[in-house]
Amino acid sequence: MISVVVVDDQGLVRAGFRMILEAQPDVEVVGEAADGLEAVEAARRLEPDVVLMDIRMPRLDGLEATRRIAGPGTSGSVKVLILTTFDLDEYVYEALRAGASGFLLKDVQRDDLVAAVRVVAGGEALLAPSITRRLIGEFARRPAPVTAAPKALDALTAREREVLGLICRGHSNAEIAAELVISEQTVKTHVGNVLSKLGLRDRIHAVILGYESGLIQPGAS
């Protein structure tokens, strides 16, 4: 069973998401929260697989709540899936940097919501390659201050560095396989090794690391 905590300041929205998710045989809503403080408390107490997180809420917004639940220094066991009314606005961008594993628009279709929860619970980032490229566009338009590249990069093999570079440019596994002339299964292995060695939650955070460390420059081929 995939355990979920639903966080939104509107009771009707929480009830709607609960109804959709609990209709699935493999999903259980174990709690709700009406603001960020309640979300942090519920995540720590219930240890769900996924927190479905609104951004704009009273007392503590979803951005800071995400940082406290899934940001640097946390266990990484709870995944945060952001809900927003805007498509890749600055809140979503910052939430991804804070540790979120993806985002959904609030008008998401029923089947897409369920699929998203399953994907994030399985440890994958919920951003299609096209959305990843738009995230990269955010770096190009408004680059964050460059930080020191982690020493863990030295542990990557030459092929793993190639794969990391292609991830950072928004390539899907199929596109990486075609570029490097290897199988998709081999790509998956390389991606898993890269994330493990760098201590990253998912490929989206690989993109963030690549750009913020200066490993990849916006616009570079």
Side-chain angles (χ1 to χ4, degrees), residues 71-110:
T74 60
S75 67
S77 60
V78 179
K79 307 297 191 303
V80 176
L81 182 56
I82 295 292
L83 290 164
T84 180
T85 53
F86 299 97
D87 193 359
L88 201 63
D89 63 8
E90 62 183 284
Y91 297 100
V92 172
Y93 172 76
E94 292 299 328
L96 289 170
R97 296 181 67 224
S101 291
F103 74 93
L104 288 173
L105 296 181
K106 278 194 173 181
D107 60 357
V108 63
Q109 296 297 309
R110 178 189 304 258

XYZ file of all heavy atoms in Angstrom, residues 71-110:
302
model
N 13.918 18.296 2.427
C 15.084 19.079 2.045
C 16.387 18.501 2.545
O 16.439 17.399 3.108
N 17.480 19.235 2.341
C 18.798 18.779 2.779
C 18.811 18.446 4.274
O 18.248 19.168 5.088
C 19.691 19.995 2.489
C 18.986 20.715 1.390
C 17.525 20.535 1.667
N 19.416 17.321 4.599
C 19.524 16.910 5.997
C 18.374 16.053 6.479
O 18.418 15.527 7.592
N 17.344 15.874 5.650
C 16.235 15.008 6.041
C 16.524 13.579 5.599
O 17.441 13.322 4.825
C 14.912 15.480 5.410
O 15.047 15.462 3.982
C 14.584 16.898 5.858
N 15.709 12.649 6.075
C 15.956 11.233 5.799
C 15.741 10.874 4.331
O 16.322 9.918 3.825
C 15.043 10.365 6.663
O 13.692 10.524 6.272
N 14.881 11.635 3.654
C 14.621 11.352 2.245
C 13.597 10.257 2.013
O 13.333 9.892 0.878
N 13.009 9.719 3.071
C 12.068 8.621 2.900
C 10.686 9.102 2.465
O 9.944 8.376 1.817
C 11.949 7.811 4.193
O 11.492 8.635 5.253
N 10.321 10.331 2.830
C 9.016 10.883 2.463
C 9.175 11.711 1.195
O 9.998 12.615 1.127
C 8.445 11.764 3.593
C 7.096 12.347 3.172
C 8.297 10.956 4.878
N 8.379 11.396 0.172
C 8.417 12.128 -1.083
C 7.326 13.195 -1.093
O 6.221 12.965 -0.593
C 8.202 11.177 -2.269
C 9.142 9.968 -2.300
C 10.587 10.390 -2.441
C 11.494 9.196 -2.731
N 11.427 8.139 -1.728
N 7.636 14.349 -1.651
C 6.672 15.447 -1.719
C 6.283 15.698 -3.165
O 7.142 15.880 -4.035
C 7.238 16.734 -1.102
C 6.249 17.891 -1.282
C 7.539 16.530 0.380
N 4.987 15.703 -3.416
C 4.431 15.983 -4.731
C 3.657 17.293 -4.620
O 2.675 17.388 -3.894
C 3.508 14.838 -5.147
C 2.849 14.899 -6.524
C 3.887 15.039 -7.630
C 2.025 13.635 -6.746
N 4.134 18.318 -5.327
C 3.581 19.663 -5.194
C 2.323 19.831 -6.049
O 2.263 19.401 -7.194
C 4.627 20.712 -5.634
C 5.833 20.699 -4.685
C 4.008 22.096 -5.692
C 5.549 21.178 -3.296
N 1.331 20.509 -5.472
C 0.129 20.897 -6.195
C 0.169 22.404 -6.430
O 0.476 23.165 -5.511
C -1.123 20.557 -5.382
C -1.447 19.075 -5.235
C -2.457 18.884 -4.110
C -1.993 18.528 -6.532
N -0.111 22.841 -7.641
C -0.072 24.265 -7.929
C -1.128 24.630 -8.958
O -1.581 23.779 -9.727
C 1.316 24.685 -8.462
O 1.321 26.077 -8.744
C 1.673 23.920 -9.728
N -1.526 25.892 -8.966
C -2.456 26.374 -9.971
C -1.709 26.986 -11.149
O -2.303 27.392 -12.134
C -3.396 27.446 -9.383
O -2.604 28.472 -8.768
C -4.305 26.841 -8.332
N -0.383 27.051 -11.046
C 0.426 27.640 -12.098
C 1.423 26.628 -12.631
O 1.987 25.848 -11.878
C 1.177 28.870 -11.587
C 0.261 29.951 -11.110
C -0.036 30.080 -9.762
C -0.329 30.816 -12.008
C -0.893 31.066 -9.316
C -1.190 31.802 -11.576
C -1.476 31.937 -10.229
N 1.633 26.655 -13.922
C 2.502 25.710 -14.594
C 3.956 26.167 -14.520
O 4.369 27.073 -15.239
C 2.057 25.591 -16.057
C 2.699 24.411 -16.752
O 3.491 23.704 -16.113
O 2.401 24.201 -17.926
N 4.742 25.537 -13.633
C 6.147 25.846 -13.448
C 6.379 27.309 -13.084
O 7.216 27.981 -13.650
C 6.966 25.486 -14.694
C 8.477 25.303 -14.454
C 8.760 24.150 -13.526
C 9.209 25.123 -15.764
N 5.617 27.858 -12.146
C 5.884 29.210 -11.683
C 7.045 29.177 -10.704
O 7.637 28.141 -10.428
C 4.622 29.837 -11.059
C 4.151 29.087 -9.810
O 4.879 28.191 -9.339
O 3.063 29.393 -9.317
N 7.407 30.352 -10.185
C 8.586 30.428 -9.331
C 8.429 29.592 -8.061
O 9.410 29.096 -7.519
C 8.878 31.874 -8.956
C 7.765 32.529 -8.155
C 8.072 33.984 -7.875
O 8.900 34.234 -6.986
O 7.496 34.856 -8.555
N 7.204 29.392 -7.594
C 6.996 28.587 -6.405
C 7.374 27.135 -6.659
O 8.004 26.485 -5.826
C 5.540 28.679 -5.947
C 5.124 30.068 -5.541
C 4.397 30.873 -6.415
C 5.450 30.576 -4.294
C 4.021 32.158 -6.050
C 5.076 31.855 -3.919
C 4.364 32.643 -4.800
O 4.000 33.914 -4.447
N 6.972 26.628 -7.805
C 7.302 25.246 -8.143
C 8.805 25.090 -8.317
O 9.402 24.130 -7.830
C 6.564 24.816 -9.423
C 7.048 23.450 -9.885
C 5.064 24.791 -9.176
N 9.427 26.042 -8.990
C 10.879 26.003 -9.185
C 11.592 25.924 -7.834
O 12.472 25.087 -7.625
C 11.309 27.243 -9.958
C 12.802 27.422 -10.050
C 13.557 26.648 -10.923
C 13.453 28.366 -9.269
C 14.922 26.810 -11.008
C 14.819 28.529 -9.349
C 15.551 27.758 -10.217
O 16.901 27.919 -10.296
N 11.207 26.781 -6.905
C 11.838 26.782 -5.588
C 11.510 25.514 -4.806
O 12.334 25.013 -4.049
C 11.407 28.021 -4.797
C 11.941 29.324 -5.366
C 13.464 29.372 -5.366
O 14.088 28.784 -4.467
O 14.026 29.987 -6.281
N 10.300 24.986 -4.994
C 9.921 23.761 -4.288
C 10.765 22.584 -4.747
O 11.153 21.734 -3.939
C 8.436 23.464 -4.506
N 11.081 22.520 -6.033
C 11.946 21.453 -6.533
C 13.327 21.562 -5.912
O 13.940 20.564 -5.525
C 12.038 21.521 -8.061
C 10.773 21.122 -8.816
C 10.919 21.463 -10.294
C 10.477 19.646 -8.638
N 13.826 22.784 -5.787
C 15.129 22.988 -5.163
C 15.075 22.651 -3.671
O 16.087 22.293 -3.076
C 15.597 24.422 -5.357
C 15.841 24.789 -6.820
C 16.320 26.219 -6.977
N 17.649 26.372 -6.403
C 18.020 27.390 -5.639
N 17.156 28.330 -5.328
N 19.245 27.466 -5.170
N 13.883 22.758 -3.075
C 13.735 22.465 -1.652
C 13.608 20.971 -1.369
O 13.624 20.562 -0.217
C 12.508 23.197 -1.094
N 13.472 20.151 -2.409
C 13.420 18.715 -2.191
C 12.203 17.996 -2.736
O 12.080 16.791 -2.569
N 11.284 18.725 -3.383
C 10.105 18.075 -3.944
C 10.494 17.149 -5.096
O 11.496 17.372 -5.769
C 9.102 19.121 -4.430
N 9.693 16.127 -5.315
C 9.968 15.153 -6.376
C 9.139 15.386 -7.626
O 9.162 14.569 -8.536
C 9.718 13.735 -5.854
O 10.689 13.383 -4.899
N 8.398 16.481 -7.675
C 7.626 16.784 -8.856
C 6.445 17.662 -8.535
O 6.283 18.120 -7.400
N 5.638 17.950 -9.547
C 4.471 18.776 -9.303
C 3.337 18.410 -10.229
O 3.532 17.808 -11.291
C 4.818 20.262 -9.441
C 5.013 20.723 -10.860
C 3.966 21.262 -11.579
C 6.259 20.640 -11.461
C 4.138 21.693 -12.878
C 6.448 21.063 -12.759
C 5.383 21.591 -13.467
N 2.143 18.792 -9.810
C 0.920 18.600 -10.585
C 0.129 19.894 -10.571
O 0.172 20.650 -9.602
C 0.050 17.517 -9.947
C 0.483 16.064 -10.029
C -0.465 15.231 -9.175
C 0.466 15.580 -11.466
N -0.600 20.147 -11.640
C -1.556 21.243 -11.624
C -2.813 20.785 -10.886
O -3.167 19.611 -10.912
C -1.914 21.654 -13.045
C -0.757 22.211 -13.878
C -1.257 22.606 -15.261
C -0.107 23.388 -13.188
N -3.469 21.719 -10.212
C -4.627 21.350 -9.398
C -5.802 20.835 -10.226
O -6.700 20.187 -9.678
C -5.074 22.538 -8.548
C -4.259 22.698 -7.284
C -4.937 23.648 -6.327
C -4.209 23.656 -5.003
N -4.858 24.566 -4.039
N -5.812 21.127 -11.519
C -6.908 20.607 -12.353
C -6.530 19.284 -13.006
O -7.088 18.887 -14.018
C -7.297 21.628 -13.426
C -6.145 21.965 -14.368
O -5.035 21.445 -14.157
O -6.364 22.749 -15.312
N -5.580 18.574 -12.389
C -5.109 17.293 -12.910
C -6.271 16.303 -13.053
O -7.216 16.306 -12.252
C -4.017 16.714 -11.990
C -4.566 16.417 -10.596
C -3.399 15.454 -12.575
N -6.209 15.479 -14.071
C -7.222 14.440 -14.263
C -7.053 13.337 -13.220
O -5.957 13.100 -12.707
C -7.101 13.843 -15.668
C -7.376 14.838 -16.786
C -8.800 15.370 -16.749
O -9.754 14.600 -16.684
N -8.940 16.691 -16.789
N -8.145 12.671 -12.925
C -8.160 11.629 -11.894
C -7.062 10.578 -12.117
O -6.281 10.290 -11.209
C -9.526 10.951 -11.881
C -9.675 9.809 -10.878
C -10.986 9.087 -11.127
N -12.117 9.995 -11.070
C -12.929 10.097 -10.012
N -12.744 9.331 -8.964
N -13.938 10.951 -10.023
